[in-house]
Amino acid sequence: MTGLGRLRLWVGDHLIMLLGLLVLVYMFVPIAVVVMMSFNDNSKSRNVYKFQSFTWDNWTNPCKPSGMCHDVVVSIEIGLLATVAATILGTLAAFAMVRHQFVGRSVANLVVFLPMATPEIVMGSSLLSLFVVAPIVPLGFWTIFIAHVMFCISFVIVTVKARLSGLDQNLEQAAMDLYATESQTFWRVTFPLVLPGILAAALLSFSLSFDDFIITNLNAGQTVTFPMFVWGSAQRGVPMQVNVVGTVMFLVSIAIVLGGELNSRRRARALAS
Amino acid sequence: MAAVETSAPPGPTTPAQPGRRKLTGYWLLLPGALWLGVFFVIPFYSLLATSLYDPKGSVLGGYDVTFHLANFVDAIRDNADVLVRSLWYAGLATLFCLLLGYVLAYAIAFKAGRWRNLLLVLVIAPFFTSFLVRTLSWKLILADDGFVVNTLQTLHLMGDNDRLLATPVAVIAGLTYNFLPFMVLPLYASLEKIDHRLIEAAGDLYASPVRAWFKVTWPLSLPGVVAGTLLTFIPAAGDYINASLLGSPNQRMVGNVIQNLFSATGDYAAAGALSVILLTIIIGLVLIYVRTAGTEDLV
């Protein structure tokens, strides 16, 4: 290869990495803005879309906007409940789909895929029309819970399935060869190996649930979640504390994800040595 | 996967009775299947019923299912422009997502080395701040006296009175931004599986890097392209958050109309009909698309 060709290849290689990093920057600009605006003092101006001056006030008085903290708590409650329910139902289903035989596999695959590929507005309006025709529970906290579990299950199944089918089955075989019973093999070998996938699915469920607006808005009745609070106040100009909640959410989930990553790296290193 | 159990050498553990084994799958699947059946599949039936309601009814007085097919005709007549606009915006946003997402996914899969996992975490990280809060921050970025508009005006790329907010540009930029991770992840999954030796082989056979990409990398990444474009286009077509927060009433999308019909107007029949139409159009487009792209294994 000539020197010129090598130079061109080098530029080509790094050009793509550079462009990729630019795309990442594009993805993070709005988050930087959210963090920046959480320190914005807008007491002197009604324009909430411009940085005025620096203040700690939003962080020291996060609950100042009336109702916001209450709505955040509602979102967290629904998020936790929906995460637990969806993670259990989805994990069981993922085990069935990877490890067991049953009739109707292709139908099951389709039904799992569809909620991820249906526009939220259509899912939300169909659910609303069910709740109107068959008022099992009044619109509110529990209808939001039902909706959130519904759209989280698919994401849990896909995530756990990926982990489960990537599992080295020789490990389980080895446990069985060493006279472990079926349940011992499951709890001492299979489950710990699948656990990272289950935790990732739970984290995904919580953030999907906490963040959902379109389906929630249709099925909420009188209940107000955090995204609905943001939507409602967006007409008048959002309070800056909304950015505090956004920043905290971001930091907490990054900490969880990075913590998990470091933990698995440490374990891999411990195994290698 | 079950095949492994049967083909394994007989271990010391006695195998469970075949009858029980066969049923375990069903029992594990049952709770999730019931939930999805009752709260995902059945609602489509009630949505269809709603779309056939007699529009003279009301939520309080109840509706009669009169197979009022005129609902569909009315919905299309009243909203043809909104429907076309939604598909158009979603299509453009998908195209931009594909361009940006491919570059990023390619860089992570082929060039990132040991930084791969970190970069993947960064791709999903924006998911973890609220969708609405992130979209609102675009309002600041694109604001009339903001950095972007000022720069473009100084460069005379925009007139002094032109704005970005409340234009299709803002809505499409918002859609592109919000659904980009849905594009990057499936693309990455496809690109990561490609055997690098195939690309090297193309180079050894005197293909230029560009030609190797066209003939080897791109065809092998097609499953990811199809999955990614679907996962971007479908939610984007139904979205109304970007259109409401970043656009003006002139950029209304079909989601805005459905939401309004349900909550503000209370016209359930029209809202149901419009939802069914949106879903039908999307299913139709997806079927044509998947058949043209020739990939069957999406899931």
Side-chain angles (χ1 to χ4, degrees), chain A residues 138-195:
Chain A
L139 288 179
F141 188 92
W142 292 107
T143 48
I144 303 178
F145 166 77
I146 288 174
H148 287 194
V149 175
M150 181 269 287
F151 66 71
C152 286
I153 286 182
S154 293
F155 287 93
V156 174
I157 294 181
V158 170
T159 314
V160 178
K161 247 174 89 178
R163 179 87 193 177
L164 200 51
S165 50
L167 213 82
D168 185 355
Q169 299 226 350
N170 287 330
L171 295 171
E172 287 164 299
Q173 212 59 60
M176 299 280 233
D177 288 346
L178 295 168
Y179 297 96
T181 62
E182 246 182 290
S183 74
Q184 277 174 326
T185 309
F186 179 80
W187 288 112
R188 302 231 181 129
V189 179
T190 319
F191 188 73
L193 285 171
V194 185
L195 193 60

Side-chain angles (χ1 to χ4, degrees), chain B residues 130-139 178 241-242 245-246:
Chain B
S130 162
F131 190 99
L132 284 166
V133 178
R134 272 184 291 143
T135 311
L136 280 172
S137 69
W138 275 100
K139 226 169 154 155
N178 275 316
I241 296 173
N242 289 284
L245 296 181
L246 303 175

